[in-house]
Amino acid sequence: MIPKTMKAAVVRGPGKPLKIEEVPVKEPKGNEILVKVIASGVCHSDVHAALGEWDVPTLPLVIGHEAIGHVVALGPYVTSVKEGDVVGVPWLNRACGHCGYCASGHEVLCGDQDNSGFSVDGGHAEYVIADANYVGRFPKEGIDFYEMAPILCAGLTVYKGLKTSNLKPDDWVAISGVGGLGHLAIQYAKVMGYNVAAIDIADEKLDFAKENGADITVNAAKTDPWTFLQEKVGGVHAVVITAVENEAFKDSHKGLRRGGTITPLGIPDGSVEMPIGPTIMNEYTLRGSVIGNRQDLQEAIDLAVRGKVKTRVTKAKLEDLSDVLDKLKNGKIIGRMVLEISQPV
């Protein structure tokens, strides 16, 4: 039986502390489904939303956009999923479905979209509402819910970023930042046939990068990584930046081969500087990449389900979320934090 209320992580306004509150469980309408959350991954975007660093359009708000669980109720128009199915509720909660972006597979650019844990309530709760057309699909058996939750954002983000970085098998890609996104980026890159150079400022994380398949590593606190890459491999074909510090973006073009691509995925304050002359003469590309469409999502999930990609997970309770966010903001987490919301059935 579905309860009338649930525990949820609620943000009520900028500067106001995040609280675990008892809130109503909503009924699904139209093409919506109600998902009983088993696990919910914690993303750095949750830090921005919880601390008022982003202009959140909807308050109060339940944050979180990496929730996985069982479908327990259907809206009247739902035909694509059934009660008992295992689904994931990603950042892209819904889009309009009929604009030029949606029609061409670029629904992440739709001007009429809702985002989980940002414009609509997200998954750091016992139950979450989702659009049946936009959830990720998982098998009912044989999966680790906690390892799969981060694929819904972290995994999808790096997978799409790699796909759009103009790479081909046996190319070199530098993954800057070996955190929650970075360790998954290394694994996806290896599955896609690329050579990987991992960059970080902590030896512990560089050891972690090697465990995840990095071919070479460089500590940017001790060695200029871009000079190192030019000397070691003749430069890389792409730099994918998952770090959230401005320093990680500085001079990154200097590590590229001619025709190379920089794909920023981490979102710090500030801007990326690209010198016009070298950019033109060497045909560098600065390539924005935001999440991924539904096809990207399912591809990223399927690789993880097949065991090609494995998330390093540390579990925590919903009640510990504020402490988790603080650790995440200060770079004290290796891999990904995932909240234990309920037990799989």
Side-chain angles (χ1 to χ4, degrees), residues 36-40 68-70 72 84-86 139-147 315 317 339-345:
K36 179 178 173 61
V37 179
I38 304 300
S40 188
I68 180 174
H70 298 280
V72 293
D85 284 354
V86 177
K140 290 184 179 180
E141 298 178 353
I143 64 168
D144 185 312
F145 284 82
Y146 306 98
E147 290 184 6
K315 299 177 184 178
K317 299 296 184 183
L339 303 178
E340 299 177 276
I341 306 296
S342 63
Q343 293 299 312
V345 294

Side-chain angles (χ1 to χ4, degrees), residues 65 90-116 118-119 133-135 152-153 156-161 163-164 265 287-298:
H65 52 269
W91 169 260
L92 185 65
N93 192 283
R94 58 156 291 279
C96 79
H98 55 75
C99 69
Y101 295 116
C102 288
S104 60
H106 295 86
E107 59 260 32
V108 293
L109 300 178
C110 175
D112 179 18
Q113 64 176 273
D114 279 320
N115 305 117
S116 303
F118 186 68
S119 61
N133 288 336
Y134 290 85
V135 293
L152 295 163
C153 179
L156 172 60
T157 296
V158 298
Y159 178 69
K160 158 72 177 313
K163 282 181 68 174
T164 58
L265 300 178
R287 183 69 166 85
S289 178
V290 55
I291 312 295
N293 63 22
R294 285 171 284 181
Q295 181 64 33
D296 297 324
L297 174 61
Q298 203 57 52

Side-chain angles (χ1 to χ4, degrees), residues 196-200 205-207 209-210 214-219 228:
V196 177
I199 304 170
D200 207 286
K205 291 189 176 181
L206 293 173
D207 290 339
K210 292 176 183 176
D215 297 282
I216 58 175
T217 62
V218 54
N219 188 322
F228 173 85

